[in-house]
Amino acid sequence: MFENIKKNKIESSVIIGIFIVVITLIVYFICHALNLGTFSIIFALIFSIASSWGSYYYSDKIVLSLNHARPATKEEDLKIVNILDSLMISSGLTVKPRLYVTQDLQPNAFATGRNPENAVICVTTGLLEKLEYYELEGVIAHELSHIKNYDIRLSCVVSVMVGFIVMLSDIFSRALFWGRFDNDRDSDNKGNGILMIIGLIFLILSPIFGSLMQLALSRKREFLADSTAIEFTRNPDGLISALQKLDADSNQLATANRATANMYIVNPFKSNTKEGKKNSSSLWSTHPSIEDRIDALRNLK
């Protein structure tokens, strides 16, 4: 576990560094395409550092805002508050995560934050209404595992940063559509034209690579979080039953979006796979299949 925590911290730092370079280049190409002058690279660098800083320190607030979440209270959510309190001992975490609830019929949950000292667990009202005590315990233990393993930092930073890249790519596409390139440049600036072509290719491919990285990180860490959750609860059946119920529920998550889908315990976008057909993971899956996760949990018994 300690090796995974160290690895996650290193990966987070590397991804932030790559993000600064990527955003700097993308913003530079956008500014260059719009003929904003020689200060484009300076503006691009400032923008990339500022967006990286914001993604790191405010990623939890951004995600909670997207999900319209409210703080959980003992008066309204006593069961889930008590479950979290009891799991704090077995998890070994010293700071209790803030607990939030979002109004939605789909049973689901996610954890976010930059570290265990600034962590958040958010559950849907559908989860509270449809799961029994030990099933809820399994779900909360799973989210606590993401917090303890520092998965939350990596997944949240990647989610927000991929969102930025997609947004900037859209801006650049609009700039191309509007035709705001300077076509009157002389032959001495052919190098800039080549650079712009490279930048265009880079802009098209970067959201794809970013999404693939996001999906790969998510799938790999779900298995680890499931197994760590069992260390906390000593009850594989609770999490297995919860995963089965979450997978069988047909409700769509109203606040779900592609940038944050990887953060949830199960994919918030319900597929139309036929009943009885194994929902195996594909290249574009944000999560391993429920069948694969349940098989792994049963092997832990």
Side-chain angles (χ1 to χ4, degrees), residues 3-301:
E3 290 182 2
N4 283 305
I5 292 173
K6 182 178 179 181
K7 183 179 179 181
N8 282 351
K9 289 180 178 179
I10 294 173
E11 286 183 350
S12 298
S13 300
V14 171
I15 288 171
I16 291 174
I18 293 173
F19 176 78
I20 290 175
V21 174
V22 170
I23 295 297
T24 299
L25 291 173
I26 290 176
V27 175
Y28 169 72
F29 288 128
I30 291 174
C31 294
H32 192 72
L34 299 177
N35 299 324
L36 297 183
T38 56
F39 292 100
S40 296
I41 190 63
I42 298 175
F43 174 79
L45 185 60
I46 293 173
F47 181 86
S48 64
I49 293 174
S51 58
S52 299
W53 183 85
S55 298
Y56 182 79
Y57 283 101
Y58 295 102
S59 55
D60 57 336
K61 294 180 177 62
I62 294 171
V63 174
L64 288 173
S65 175
L66 290 172
N67 286 274
H68 310 293
R70 63 166 177 82
T73 63
K74 288 186 177 180
E75 292 75 19
E76 295 181 86
D77 316 291
L78 182 60
K79 182 193 292 188
I80 199 76
V81 170
N82 288 340
I83 289 174
L84 179 58
D85 287 340
S86 64
L87 285 172
M88 287 302 297
I89 299 173
S90 58
S91 69
L93 292 169
T94 57
V95 179
K96 186 168 72 171
R98 289 171 289 146
L99 190 58
Y100 281 76
V101 177
T102 183
Q103 185 74 33
D104 202 286
L105 292 175
Q106 185 188 96
N108 219 322
F110 66 87
T112 185
R114 65 181 184 273
N115 54 41
E117 290 73 34
N118 297 275
V120 169
I121 293 176
C122 183
V123 302
T124 65
T125 51
L127 188 85
L128 300 178
E129 294 167 0
K130 298 175 183 179
L131 267 58
E132 303 297 332
Y133 181 91
Y134 288 110
E135 295 167 341
L136 282 171
E137 183 183 55
V139 171
I140 298 303
H142 175 96
E143 301 308 330
L144 280 174
S145 301
H146 280 310
I147 292 171
K148 186 166 186 176
N149 295 338
Y150 277 78
D151 295 332
I152 54 170
R153 173 188 291 179
L154 191 58
S155 65
C156 197
V157 166
V158 169
S159 295
V160 174
M161 290 180 175
V162 168
F164 267 118
I165 291 174
V166 172
M167 178 190 71
L168 290 174
S169 296
D170 181 65
I171 293 173
F172 190 84
S173 299
R174 292 175 185 273
L176 283 177
F177 180 77
W178 292 334
R180 296 186 62 180
F181 288 98
D182 186 2
N183 296 319
D184 298 327
R185 301 191 175 188
D186 55 33
S187 58
D188 292 335
N189 288 327
K190 289 182 179 179
N192 285 334
I194 296 173
L195 201 61
M196 290 301 300
I197 294 173
I198 296 173
L200 176 60
I201 296 171
F202 190 77
L203 278 167
I204 293 171
L205 295 180
S206 58
I208 298 174
F209 290 139
S211 296
L212 286 174
M213 178 177 63
Q214 179 187 35
L215 299 177
L217 290 172
S218 174
R219 291 197 299 269
K220 183 172 63 175
R221 282 164 176 75
E222 290 305 317
F223 286 114
L224 178 60
D226 285 344
S227 62
T228 307
I230 303 311
E231 294 180 14
F232 297 165
T233 64
R234 304 295 179 184
N235 181 18
D237 292 330
L239 182 55
I240 289 173
S241 179
L243 290 174
Q244 290 171 333
K245 282 189 177 182
L246 269 57
D247 187 48
D249 191 272
S250 60
N251 288 290
Q252 296 291 334
L253 191 64
T255 56
N257 63 76
R258 297 292 175 185
T260 59
N262 67 302
M263 299 173 62
Y264 290 87
I265 185 171
V266 297
N267 189 347
F269 298 105
K270 298 296 182 178
S271 62
N272 294 320
T273 51
K274 295 181 180 179
E275 187 176 355
K277 183 179 179 181
K278 186 177 178 66
N279 183 23
S280 58
S281 299
S282 69
L283 181 65
W284 299 103
S285 300
T286 56
H287 296 70
S289 71
I290 295 297
E291 291 86 352
D292 289 342
R293 292 171 68 178
I294 289 176
D295 288 344
L297 287 169
R298 284 176 175 157
N299 290 331
L300 294 175
K301 290 186 177 182

